[in-house]
Amino acid sequence: ITGCDYALYELPSIEALPELLGAQPELQGFNVTIPYKRTVIPYLDSIDGSARAIGAVNTVLCRDGKLIGYNTDFYGMRLLLRRAGIDVRGQCAAVLGTGGTSSTACAVLRAEGAASVIRVSRRPAGEDTVGDDALYGRREDIGILLNTTPVGMFPHDEDIPADPADFPHLRGVADAVYHPLRTAFVCRARACGIPAAGGLYMLVAQAAYAAALFLDRPDMPDRTDDVYAAIR
């Protein structure tokens, strides 16, 4: 977009955020990536209602000296599932991972009508979180698998967070990882005849919504498909 700059600011820790903001007073907003989507919240002056309900923020507006948090990942992930033809209604869904993107995935799945949602972690904690053994113990129940971990991300392309072939009643698989375009997880699902999609469309769709907020341009999401095709 003419006249706009979008740059990477890599922080050693979230505690460095105030220093970044002080050094970049012209910032109109910024996106937040792994692992700061939850830990950024205490630094914000206000949070959009949906982001608060999810418990994760990936987009922050800087307005009149105030930081306002939003979650555009919800919008992106919902469009990803719909575009891929993955119908979660009435399904038992398993979300791999317990970070900020996992919280968003759980919110999307519930909003789209999943009958139940469980989260899977190597260190399970809480009633809705189970370990790998418990996940495979419920393999007959699982209809949707959604990966929100970095497993399978470049350069570890061959890694796979779970094997879709082990779940006999899968109706859909989605991966938040977008590099590579198709992870081993997605490829394995497709080889089994299961609808599956990687995370690139989610990335573009959430960015379009974030751009609409940054620029006060509600038309930005209309460009999602064109931008996706160009990047792909």
Side-chain angles (χ1 to χ4, degrees), residues 164-193:
D166 291 335
F167 298 82
H169 304 297
L170 271 187
R171 301 288 186 86
V173 164
D175 198 335
V177 173
Y178 53 85
H179 184 29
L181 180 63
R182 293 194 181 109
T183 59
F185 183 53
V186 167
C187 290
R188 179 65 167 162
R190 290 189 173 191
C192 296

Side-chain angles (χ1 to χ4, degrees), residues 60-118:
V60 179
L61 296 190
C62 308
R63 294 293 185 267
D64 301 321
K66 303 291 185 181
L67 301 181
I68 310 166
Y70 296 85
N71 187 307
T72 65
D73 280 339
F74 180 95
Y75 174 87
M77 186 171 289
R78 183 173 62 183
L79 285 189
L80 169 66
L81 293 175
R82 292 180 178 181
R83 184 178 185 277
I86 299 174
D87 187 355
V88 308
R89 289 174 297 179
Q91 297 295 316
C92 175
V95 176
L96 310 179
T98 55
T101 305
S102 169
S103 297
T104 301
C106 291
V108 170
L109 290 166
R110 294 185 180 110
E112 292 292 283
S116 60
V117 179
I118 59 173

